Amino acid sequence: MQVIKNIKQMSSLSDKWRQEGKKIAFVPTMGYFHNGHLSLMRKGRLLGDVLVVSIFINPIQFGPKEDFKEYPRNFERDSALAQKEKVDVVFVPDEREMYPPGYQTFVEVTKLTQHLCGLSRPGHFKGVATVVAKLFNIVKPHFALFGLKDYQQYLVIKKMVEDLNFDVQIIGCPTVRESDGLAMSSRNEYLLPEQRGAALSLYKSLKMAQDLFETGEHNAKKIKAEIINFIKTFPYTQIDYVSICDPETLEEIDEIKDKALMALAVRVGKARLIDNLILEVRK
Ligand code: PAF
């Protein structure tokens, strides 16, 4: 496994691979790997002849009061895990090379970002779309894999790829959970032992919404009200949003017909956690 830090070197290697007719699979990450990341690598390994994983904690997707500085980092552990997954290249670009002085170009997906996390994290998706566009131009992947826990991010990137004619296939992969249901996230690291039970309120809420939906409650307002009351019974929690929306446009819906996305963001102590589920009428 090669560790590449230099943009030109990564780009030249990708050019060489493409000339050799190799299919490039790519997993962009901010590191601090958990099983969710590893599942993306495994899928990438199957799809591509070569597999690139980037580790870059992208400063421009964090708000001024967010956790950029304390975002967990452990390169030694990450590279050992990547090696085990038979990753060909770990690409670790340098912040100064990604955003040199005078940098001034950004990518904005305007509508999908006006919902859910886009409301409480202004500028976040602009930072994500920009860095992913840059990484795509450097790594030149045929396939790029993203976890569906970040469902909005997945939609934003798919839209960017469509609108800007990037020649890459975006693959969304199922959320990987702890045995009790907690969605895996590098930010779970922030949870204190006494907050772990409260963190489970997200998964339990999704299950509760699914039960309500499957037993005939299709009124989104009523489901949301139940969920909000339920989350409030857990200590340490502060609700950011609970949404039932269209899974393609992310616009809020009142009455669930065939399908809806139930998405929520809850602060539990220092950790801001997100999770989601598709509510669907079983055929
Ligand atoms: O999901 C993430 O880890 C990040 O948002 C991404 C896609 C690597 C962009 O920095």
Side-chain angles (χ1 to χ4, degrees), residues 28-30 56 58 61 124 128 131-132 146 150 153 157:
T29 82
M30 300 205 298
F56 181 63
N58 175 34
Q61 71 184 71
H124 168 66
V128 169
V131 81
V132 171
F146 293 87
D150 298 292
Q153 168 171 281
I157 289 164

Side-chain angles (χ1 to χ4, degrees), residues 70-127:
E70 67 257 25
Y71 196 86
R73 295 155 163 88
N74 190 340
F75 181 73
E76 295 310 313
R77 182 174 169 275
D78 283 353
S79 64
L81 288 169
Q83 185 137 27
K84 256 201 197 151
E85 297 305 329
K86 303 190 180 65
V87 169
D88 293 287
V89 170
V90 178
F91 176 46
V92 198
D94 188 275
E95 196 182 312
R96 283 153 304 185
E97 212 194 345
M98 286 293 269
Y99 303 116
Y103 186 89
Q104 51 187 291
T105 306
F106 298 89
V107 178
E108 214 163 351
V109 176
T110 54
K111 281 198 187 139
L112 283 170
T113 56
Q114 283 169 25
H115 307 281
L116 311 181
C117 292
L119 296 176
S120 38
R121 303 188 71 190
H124 168 66
F125 288 113
K126 181 174 162 187

